[in-house]
Amino acid sequence: MTLLDGKALSNKIKDEVKVEVEELIKEKSVTPGLAVILVGNDAASATYVASKAKSCKNAGIYSVVHEMPDTISQDELLETIKRMNENPSLDGILVQLPLPKHIDTTIVLEAIDPLKDVDGFHPYNVGRMVSNLDSFLPATPFGVMRMFQEYNIDLKGKNVCVIGSSDIVGKPMAALLINAKATVTVCNSSTKDLASHTKAADIVVIAVGVPHLLKGDMLKDGAVVIDVGINRLDTGKLTGDADFEDCKDKCSHITPVPGGVGPMTIGMLLKNTVKAARLRETREKK
Ligand code: NAD
């Protein structure tokens, strides 16, 4: 069994980004800039945002964290995004989700300039991704694709079962796998007999937020398991959606939690920010 080491791979990606940033500064005098908007005081969101800002700094990317109280109106948030869209030194804009209930997430995400949409959640980028055109890819599924590439896991003609169909992980994951010519089955909480789908899969990607849902007896021998889930147990320990101990002997490859898909996400966000910075000239001509 091969452990898919997302931590090591993420460090490699961060080193790549550092070199790309140095090149951009040297050749085009462009320092990539990322704005992160944090609404409210959700502890988990604040931790994610702090870690994004730290990774930007280490990579030589300029970043600003714009904190807003959860009493902010939707219009005030949209006005902030508009200003950021117009600010030429900001290449990427990211709104940390979830947003407070009185704010319409769709309207907010659609307000971001698609050329600055480093999270890849704007319908423009989602549409281009589904059509297999160049676009910003959502960081988590993008990270999983990079993992497949790095570990030479061939996708063409493989049966892949994606468990979970959220807009952030499951759906974009399925689209990227379809583009890679895999045969894709997408399951959700209404799926009948989940095991019948996972047993037929060469690769299972699970992103549901249910600790240890995937067991070894739901897998075929030699399956690849990609566990996107991050769940905090009452003990404070982090665990995945797959029962690692139960699955590992059935697998050819498996991601640990923590240290698997999680660390990849920030690395791919940095990649997207550099990509956005390369588009700065295109944006300015618009
Ligand atoms: P979500 O709640 O938006 O969606 C969950 C999906 O799982 C839904 O489609 C639901 O129908 C499905 N589901 C729920 N229970 C199921 C069951 N018993 N059987 C089959 N399907 C079931 O969640 P999300 O935002 O996609 O996140 C999923 C998990 O991935 C969470 O643990 C989250 O913390 C984690 N996550 C990790 C990263 C990362 O690694 N960087 C990024 C995003 C999300």
Side-chain angles (χ1 to χ4, degrees):
M1 183 272 292
T2 303
L3 205 60
L4 300 170
D5 186 346
K7 196 152 195 289
L9 181 50
S10 160
N11 286 336
K12 181 177 168 186
I13 291 165
K14 286 175 182 168
D15 288 343
E16 285 172 16
V17 169
K18 220 170 175 173
V19 172
E20 290 173 54
V21 170
E22 281 163 7
E23 280 169 7
L24 262 171
I25 295 173
K26 203 166 141 206
E27 288 161 21
K28 300 200 169 184
S29 304
V30 166
T31 302
L34 175 70
V36 180
I37 302 177
L38 175 63
V39 183
N41 45 17
D42 177 68
S45 293
T47 307
Y48 289 137
V49 167
S51 125
K52 285 169 187 173
K54 187 171 165 222
S55 300
C56 280
K57 192 162 178 247
N58 290 341
I61 294 174
Y62 160 74
S63 77
V64 282
V65 177
H66 192 91
E67 291 185 42
M68 303 178 104
D70 56 9
T71 49
I72 194 110
S73 73
Q74 182 167 303
D75 283 347
E76 282 170 290
L77 178 54
L78 292 175
E79 188 49 46
T80 301
I81 292 173
K82 185 168 177 280
R83 277 202 313 275
M84 289 177 171
N85 282 341
E86 289 161 1
N87 183 339
S89 58
L90 293 177
D91 300 292
I93 303 169
L94 181 160
V95 179
Q96 186 66 38
L97 300 179
L99 288 169
K101 287 204 167 46
H102 67 279
I103 295 178
D104 186 326
T105 303
T106 307
I107 291 176
V108 169
L109 295 180
E110 287 195 56
I112 297 171
D113 180 342
L115 296 181
K116 295 191 175 192
D117 173 36
V118 287
D119 252 346
F121 295 156
H122 191 292
Y124 173 88
N125 283 310
V126 175
R128 288 186 63 91
M129 173 190 64
V130 170
S131 303
N132 206 9
L133 298 169
D134 185 46
S135 65
F136 290 108
L137 302 178
T140 302
F142 188 15
V144 174
M145 293 304 278
R146 174 71 194 259
M147 226 170 201
F148 287 137
Q149 187 195 359
E150 199 72 20
Y151 282 89
N152 294 316
I153 297 170
D154 193 22
L155 297 170
K156 200 170 171 182
K158 294 286 164 61
N159 290 337
V160 185
C161 180
V162 178
I163 315 176
S165 58
S166 70
D167 290 341
I168 293 172
V169 188
K171 277 189 216 165
M173 189 73 251
L176 295 176
L177 290 163
I178 290 168
N179 290 343
K181 298 193 162 38
T183 303
V184 184
T185 305
V186 184
C187 300
N188 59 49
S189 54
S190 302
T191 298
K192 294 187 181 77
D193 193 6
L194 183 63
S196 69
H197 297 287
T198 54
K199 274 183 192 154
D202 304 302
I203 301 170
V204 177
V205 181
I206 182 159
V208 294
V210 180
H212 300 178
L213 179 70
L214 186 69
K215 302 284 182 194
D217 63 5
M218 295 166 72
L219 296 169
K220 80 168 169 188
D221 282 332
V224 176
V225 171
I226 307 290
D227 188 353
V228 182
I230 304 176
N231 309 288
R232 195 169 286 281
L233 299 175
D234 291 341
T235 57
K237 203 175 156 234
L238 285 184
T239 196
D241 290 343
D243 186 335
F244 184 88
E245 287 305 317
D246 201 49
C247 291
K248 69 180 197 314
D249 295 332
K250 267 287 199 63
C251 297
S252 64
H253 301 76
I254 185 166
T255 56
V257 178
V261 176
M264 297 294 295
T265 300
I266 290 189
M268 302 327 271
L269 169 69
L270 300 181
K271 280 264 177 202
N272 279 347
T273 305
V274 171
K275 181 185 172 84
R278 291 211 178 92
L279 295 173
R280 199 181 278 191
E281 285 167 15
T282 319
R283 284 200 320 264
E284 282 164 3
K285 281 186 203 132
K286 266 204 324 182

